[in-house]
């Protein structure tokens, strides 16, 4: 009787451990790796100390994949209002998927110190017509 209970407890613990092993934090989010269908993909190239393009326009409600590459040193690209925070290193692009559900103009900025011009490494994300709160 006691040993069969021990077996059941052991099996239950094994199941829990197996479930934990396969659980990935944030797996319900947006990997940005091409597995999520999007309306458009925007590729941005970073270098000291600019983005190309430095202004990105997307339509309100569009699902967008942002891909960041760098031509020189490591750079970041963050848009605080959309929770975007990418870091690309040479030869290793970074990407994120977001839904442009909030109209307005949002600053894009570099989050990796990339040299003396780092504070000026900026861009702009424009969603909709760029007027905050207005529908296009
Ligand atoms: Cu930079």
């Amino acid at each position: 009787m006691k040993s069969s209970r021990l077996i059941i407890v052991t099996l239950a613990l094994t199941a829990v451990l197996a479930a934990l092993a396969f659980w990935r934090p944030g797996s319900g989010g947006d990997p940005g790796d091409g597995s999520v269908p999007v309306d458009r993909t925007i590729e941005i190239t970073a270098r000291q100390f600019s983005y190309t393009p430095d202004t990105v326009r997307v339509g309100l409600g569009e699902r967008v994949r942002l891909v960041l590459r760098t031509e020189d040193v490591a750079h970041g690209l963050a848009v605080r209002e959309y929770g975007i925070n990418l870091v690309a290193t040479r030869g290793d692009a970074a990407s994120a998927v977001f839904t442009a559900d909030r109209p307005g103009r949002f600053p894009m900025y570099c989050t990796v110190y990339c040299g003396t011009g780092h504070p000026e490494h900026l861009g702009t994300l424009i969603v909709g017509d760029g007027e905050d709160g207005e529908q296009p």
Side-chain angles (χ1 to χ4, degrees):
M1 186 64 188
K2 263 204 167 156
S3 68
S4 68
R5 178 173 290 183
L6 185 66
I7 289 169
I8 290 170
V9 168
T10 304
L11 285 175
L13 278 174
T14 305
V16 167
L17 288 174
L20 281 175
F22 286 104
W23 182 70
R24 295 275 183 280
S27 62
D30 302 309
D33 61 0
S35 59
V36 178
V38 293
D39 297 315
R40 77 159 89 187
T41 296
I42 295 172
E43 307 211 352
I44 300 176
T45 301
R47 66 175 68 84
Q48 291 169 315
F49 299 97
S50 62
Y51 295 111
T52 306
D54 66 352
T55 300
V56 171
R57 290 176 179 273
V58 301
L60 187 61
E62 275 191 314
R63 193 141 173 87
V64 179
R65 173 173 294 113
L66 217 55
V67 180
L68 177 69
R69 293 178 209 286
T70 172
E71 285 192 340
D72 42 36
V73 299
H75 293 281
L77 190 160
V79 181
R80 185 170 44 85
E81 292 83 352
Y82 274 103
I84 295 166
N85 190 357
L86 297 173
V87 173
T89 54
R90 197 155 180 173
D92 197 9
S95 66
V97 173
F98 70 99
T99 300
D101 52 8
R102 189 172 158 187
R105 291 172 157 266
F106 306 99
M108 305 191 299
Y109 56 95
C110 185
T111 52
V112 177
Y113 181 78
C114 55
T116 52
H118 169 69
E120 286 80 48
H121 194 179
L122 304 167
T124 307
L125 169 67
I126 301 176
V127 178
D129 61 5
E131 301 296 324
D132 200 9
E134 260 181 47
Q135 300 300 315

